[in-house]
Amino acid sequence: MGANSAVLASLIIAERDALLRRVERLVDNPADAEEVVQSMWLKVQSVDDARPILSKRAYLFRLARNLALDFRRSQQRRGRLVDEVQNILTESDDAPGQDRIVDSTQVLERVRAAALALPEPTRTIFRLNRFEGESQQAIAVRLKVSTTTVENHMRRALAALAAARDGRDPES
């Protein structure tokens, strides 16, 4: 250990409380401040005597500030990394799974078959209302039936399609 290292090490001991207060203001945590001051101890052990340090106290406090800022930046990077990992781990996949796709395809096929199996005029009334956007009154006028008849056909069509969607017998 050189002369600079020895003086700086003894100065760390003498100024420990002031160094801790200064570092704690920068890192906002007493335990982290302790860690920074400990790293200072290790850092001053490697200071050589190649160049004289004129103001050792100022050198020590500048070293404390630099190490505290480095520590804070490191903690911020680590925090961002942890957040990114959390986001990746908790990210939900909105794409349906293979089993859901198969189930949906089967349901769609059942509803399609039920729509094709609707008796006339129920199928025509349903098509005019749901796919061509005609009102029930307009369908009644067009087919020369009452609005109640159109409503009854729509009710039957919707019940049959709902039963097909749910995998039930339309008669139940």
Side-chain angles (χ1 to χ4, degrees):
M1 177 185 293
N4 282 336
S5 308
V7 173
L8 289 172
S10 63
L11 197 55
I12 285 177
I13 294 169
E15 297 286 343
R16 188 172 194 292
D17 291 338
L19 287 167
L20 279 171
R21 282 192 304 273
R22 180 173 194 141
V23 170
E24 190 175 340
R25 280 194 305 266
L26 293 169
V27 296
D28 292 329
N29 184 325
D32 292 342
E34 280 286 346
E35 189 174 329
V36 170
V37 171
Q38 285 297 322
S39 68
M40 282 179 59
W41 178 265
L42 297 173
K43 191 84 165 169
V44 299
Q45 300 302 313
S46 63
V47 173
D48 60 21
D49 291 333
R51 293 186 311 172
I53 300 173
L54 301 177
S55 179
K56 292 179 179 40
R57 187 174 189 278
Y59 177 88
L60 196 62
F61 277 84
R62 187 173 56 242
L63 178 63
R65 182 180 186 282
N66 290 342
L67 290 174
L69 292 174
D70 288 347
F71 181 86
R72 190 171 67 187
R73 280 191 289 268
S74 171
Q75 291 296 93
Q76 289 170 342
R77 278 192 303 271
R78 187 174 295 130
R80 284 192 302 270
L81 182 62
V82 166
D83 289 345
E84 287 177 33
V85 168
Q86 274 302 90
N87 287 339
I88 290 169
L89 293 176
T90 59
E91 199 172 81
S92 63
D93 186 9
D94 293 339
Q98 190 63 31
D99 56 336
R100 191 166 168 207
I101 292 171
V102 169
D103 289 344
S104 297
T105 303
Q106 290 171 347
V107 168
L108 184 60
E109 189 51 43
R110 283 196 313 261
V111 170
R112 184 178 164 283
L116 291 174
L118 289 173
E120 283 299 335
T122 304
R123 184 176 357 155
T124 300
I125 290 172
F126 180 77
R127 181 181 48 80
L128 290 172
N129 181 257
R130 294 302 166 124
F131 294 108
E132 295 181 22
E134 287 192 35
S135 68
Q136 291 182 359
Q137 286 180 328
I139 294 169
V141 169
R142 182 176 177 172
L143 299 179
K144 299 181 175 98
V145 295
S146 69
T147 305
T148 303
T149 301
V150 172
E151 288 170 359
N152 288 336
H153 282 286
M154 283 299 297
R155 193 174 302 113
R156 273 188 236 121
L158 292 173
L161 297 177
R165 177 199 64 213
D166 297 341
R168 296 182 283 115
D169 180 21
E171 302 302 320
S172 59

